Amino acid sequence: MKFYNTLTRKVEEFIPNEKGKVKFYTCGPTVYHDQHIGNMRNYIGHDILDKTLRYLGYDVLRIMNITDVGHLTSDSDSGEDKMVKSAKESHKSVMDIAKYYTEQFFNDFKLINNRVPDIVKPATGEIDMYIKIITKLLDEEYAYIEGGNVYFDTSKLDDYYKLTNHKEDEMVVGVRDGVEFDSNKHNQADFVLWFTKSKFDDQELKWDSPWGYGYPGWHIECSGISIKYAGEYLDIHGGGVDNIFPHHTNEIAQSESYLGHKWCNYWFHNEHLMDNSGKMSKSKGATLTVTYLKDQGYDPLAFRFMCLNSHYRKQLIFSYEALKQSEETLNKLKNKISNIKDDNNFNEDDFNKYNNEFKNTLENDLNTANAITIIYNILKDNELSGNTKLKLIKSFDEVLSLDLIKEDNIDNELLDKVNKLIEERQNYKKEKNYEKADQIREKIESLGVTIKDTRDGVEIIWN
Ligand code: AMP
Ligand code: ZN
């Protein structure tokens, strides 16, 4: 298995710490707002990596947090807490907001057939762990207290910027948008581990700590949850490319200083979903969610299909035309698959040949578009038995999760009947007896099935 490791900036062979086992952490949503389809593209990328590893036989432990405290309106330490701001605007409590958007998130997550990670933990539930880490960082002088807050001292590290390509001077205040000068910080790159004093002191959720009543910074939650549930050594940690700096950079700094050794070997990042005005983001106003697409009559899996047809490391531009196109292509593909007749004739060699091709293509930095092409090759292969084709596609769908074979929905008896009628109709058409051919079409339609003549033959549309 190979995929791009942001830390080494190359596509690398994946070697887990413990043979056959993978500990994989995904940064979860900030639940102050709906997660848009851009966020969901990121989770689809993670889902494919998760399912590919399982398909290849790894025993995967996947962990994800839910950010319900500490993420400020700027990804650095300035601005108001996103949760508090949202709660104030809607006159609700922070916990109500978190509960509502967490539910919405998992609804949409499931609509696109993402597997829920093995462990999901809200940030507010793990305060003891953050206190433990921060205490040690202070003891070992990786952190300091200034103006009532606890800060991580980035000058203690020689390689603070190792995850990014950026030079230190590109990161200073005034260069990056929305980052304010903080006179408490000894170096402007330093970041907050614990707030007891902030400009926005109306934080609803606060906890007792050795440094006063307060709340954690955003980055500490992912270090804390990951180390608590995955242990000291993590194999893969991922997020969107916007998480590389400062979030993941800061996670590495605090985790490795706390642990005293390298923490995570592979950093996996997904490129953004864009709209025609740039990166899709929640602060832009109306939020395009998976539920919204569904309410507009689109199949949520058409969105998944659209994502899988592009590479996770390439930006993808969303448009309704592209989504519509994607839905049409997916429906055609599903129709072709539903026309495969199960001949009960399984050929193991053929299965292994295509299955290995599928594995190889995913092992090669998750080439999902190519994996889909393999399905078309299977459909075209006249040497392949129907049963082998169906078994292959069913197996591939464990990773792709496009509901390519809806066994429950297909009535095999009905399918047989329809196929016989189609054959009869084709014969009449050959004889140019269109009247009879039309009568048969009507008969098929009376069974609740629509047929469509295409260049590749007759498509069955299950109503
Ligand atoms: P947030 O809820 O803001 O913490 O974001 C959740 C995840 O979505 C993060 O890992 C981001 O990197 C990712 N993300 C945010 N915007 C986009 C986008 N337009 N396309 C893809 N991923 C995104
Ligand atoms: Zn995180």
Side-chain angles (χ1 to χ4, degrees):
M1 174 77 192
K2 281 186 194 157
F3 60 89
Y4 184 83
N5 184 359
T6 308
L7 190 61
T8 55
R9 296 182 237 304
K10 50 178 192 262
V11 175
E12 265 189 338
E13 186 68 40
F14 172 63
I15 304 166
N17 284 304
E18 202 182 324
K19 199 165 180 275
K21 292 201 168 162
V22 183
K23 291 180 175 172
F24 175 13
Y25 186 93
T26 298
C27 286
T30 309
V31 284
Y32 71 106
H33 201 302
D34 279 314
Q35 289 277 298
H36 53 64
I37 55 174
N39 302 119
M40 287 300 166
R41 181 195 186 196
N42 171 52
Y43 297 114
I44 289 172
H46 282 244
D47 187 61
I48 289 289
L49 176 57
D50 180 356
K51 287 175 178 163
T52 297
L53 291 165
R54 287 171 205 270
Y55 198 75
L56 296 173
Y58 289 101
D59 175 4
V60 183
L61 175 71
R62 179 144 170 245
I63 302 163
M64 186 171 76
N65 66 302
I66 301 288
T67 299
D68 52 1
V69 67
H71 192 172
L72 306 190
T73 48
S74 123
D75 277 355
S76 294
D77 305 318
S78 53
E80 208 173 348
D81 185 304
K82 290 186 180 192
M83 296 296 301
V84 176
K85 188 164 179 261
S86 172
K88 264 196 261 169
E89 281 164 7
S90 56
H91 306 288
K92 293 208 172 85
S93 74
V94 165
M95 279 340 257
D96 284 344
I97 292 284
K99 186 168 177 284
Y100 174 78
Y101 287 115
T102 303
E103 276 171 21
Q104 294 296 105
F105 169 70
F106 281 113
N107 276 344
D108 285 7
F109 204 77
K110 287 174 192 161
L111 282 175
I112 45 175
N113 281 350
N114 277 342
R115 179 184 173 279
V116 177
D118 306 286
I119 296 178
V120 177
K121 293 287 170 188
T124 47
E126 310 293 341
I127 302 295
D128 289 353
M129 187 64 194
Y130 319 144
I131 290 178
K132 186 174 159 191
I133 296 176
I134 298 167
T135 303
K136 186 167 174 196
L137 292 174
L138 278 164
D139 284 351
E140 301 197 351
E141 295 181 1
Y142 284 110
Y144 58 89
I145 299 172
E146 198 69 75
N149 297 332
V150 185
Y151 292 89
F152 186 90
D153 185 348
T154 53
S155 72
K156 293 282 161 70
L157 306 180
D158 296 332
D159 53 0
Y160 169 66
Y161 292 100
K162 69 181 170 190
L163 189 65
T164 78
N165 261 326
H166 296 94
K167 304 272 179 312
E168 187 167 349
D169 54 354
E170 289 172 12
M171 297 296 179
V172 294
V173 176
V175 177
R176 284 190 298 124
D177 288 345
V179 179
E180 288 167 26
F181 183 82
D182 180 346
S183 58
N184 287 331
K185 292 184 179 178
H186 296 178
N187 319 283
Q188 282 308 302
D190 296 351
F191 55 92
V192 174
L193 296 165
W194 189 270
F195 287 100
T196 66
K197 292 262 178 320
S198 112
K199 261 198 306 190
F200 300 96
D201 215 20
D202 52 356
Q203 181 77 16
E204 202 179 299
L205 297 174
K206 289 190 183 183
W207 295 264
D208 273 328
S209 80
W211 323 289
Y213 197 49
Y215 60 101
W218 171 36
H219 318 294
I220 194 72
E221 69 182 73
C222 289
S223 293
I225 293 173
S226 168
I227 293 169
K228 179 165 171 188
Y229 294 97
E232 289 194 9
Y233 295 90
L234 190 63
D235 295 300
I236 308 170
H237 189 126
V241 284
D242 57 316
N243 289 149
I244 298 173
F245 189 87
H247 186 49
H248 289 164
T249 297
N250 292 349
E251 279 190 50
I252 294 175
Q254 66 202 4
S255 297
E256 297 193 346
S257 304
Y258 168 74
L259 295 168
H261 58 71
K262 189 176 179 188
W263 172 46
C264 176
N265 289 331
Y266 298 86
W267 287 83
F268 174 74
H269 290 103
N270 278 254
E271 250 305 341
H272 284 145
L273 183 70
M274 319 293 281
D275 55 26
N276 42 25
S277 62
K279 180 192 157 202
M280 201 163 271
S281 75
K282 278 175 273 200
S283 45
K284 270 191 182 170
T287 310
L288 201 48
T289 63
V290 172
T291 294
Y292 179 79
L293 293 181
K294 186 170 173 260
D295 291 346
Q296 299 299 303
Y298 293 98
D299 175 3
L301 295 182
F303 175 65
R304 186 178 178 96
F305 189 57
M306 182 176 161
C307 294
L308 300 191
N309 272 306
S310 99
H311 195 256
Y312 76 92
R313 283 200 287 125
K314 286 220 171 85
Q315 284 187 351
L316 175 63
I317 298 175
F318 176 81
S319 71
Y320 282 103
E321 294 81 75
L323 182 64
K324 221 166 159 185
Q325 180 68 50
S326 178
E327 184 165 88
E328 276 172 29
T329 314
L330 181 61
N331 283 339
K332 277 190 190 155
L333 176 63
K334 287 189 184 184
N335 277 322
K336 281 191 181 137
I337 295 168
S338 70
N339 284 334
I340 301 173
K341 291 197 191 101
D342 189 352
D343 50 11
N344 283 321
N345 176 21
F346 180 65
N347 184 312
E348 197 172 339
D349 289 343
D350 288 344
F351 181 92
N352 289 341
K353 180 187 137 216
Y354 276 108
N355 195 33
N356 287 338
E357 212 182 300
F358 179 75
K359 283 181 183 170
N360 289 342
T361 208
L362 289 176
E363 278 172 335
N364 185 12
D365 201 19
L366 302 169
N367 193 339
T368 44
N370 217 16
I372 291 165
T373 306
I374 297 174
I375 299 180
Y376 285 100
N377 294 342
I378 288 173
L379 288 166
K380 274 191 285 191
D381 186 341
N382 295 328
E383 304 292 306
L384 211 54
S385 73
N387 183 272
T388 312
K389 286 186 183 186
L390 288 169
K391 289 225 164 77
L392 279 164
I393 295 167
K394 190 169 178 214
S395 186
F396 295 179
D397 213 25
E398 285 173 29
V399 178
L400 303 175
S401 306
L402 293 164
D403 291 353
L404 295 174
I405 297 185
K406 269 267 183 217
E407 276 167 315
D408 298 344
N409 296 345
I410 294 178
D411 176 342
N412 279 328
E413 234 173 79
L414 179 64
L415 180 62
D416 270 357
K417 215 182 216 172
V418 172
N419 276 325
K420 276 195 193 113
L421 286 167
I422 289 176
E423 216 175 295
E424 221 179 297
R425 179 171 168 265
Q426 294 302 80
N427 289 336
Y428 281 125
K429 277 176 74 178
K430 263 189 223 145
E431 292 164 11
K432 300 205 182 339
N433 189 344
Y434 297 112
E435 201 179 318
K436 278 271 183 209
D438 281 348
Q439 280 171 10
I440 293 189
R441 175 194 276 275
E442 279 166 24
K443 207 164 168 185
I444 294 172
E445 282 176 353
S446 74
L447 296 171
V449 173
T450 311
I451 53 168
K452 204 166 137 196
D453 294 308
T454 72
R455 255 183 297 142
D456 304 323
V458 181
E459 260 179 39
I460 302 177
I461 300 157
W462 301 95
N463 298 327

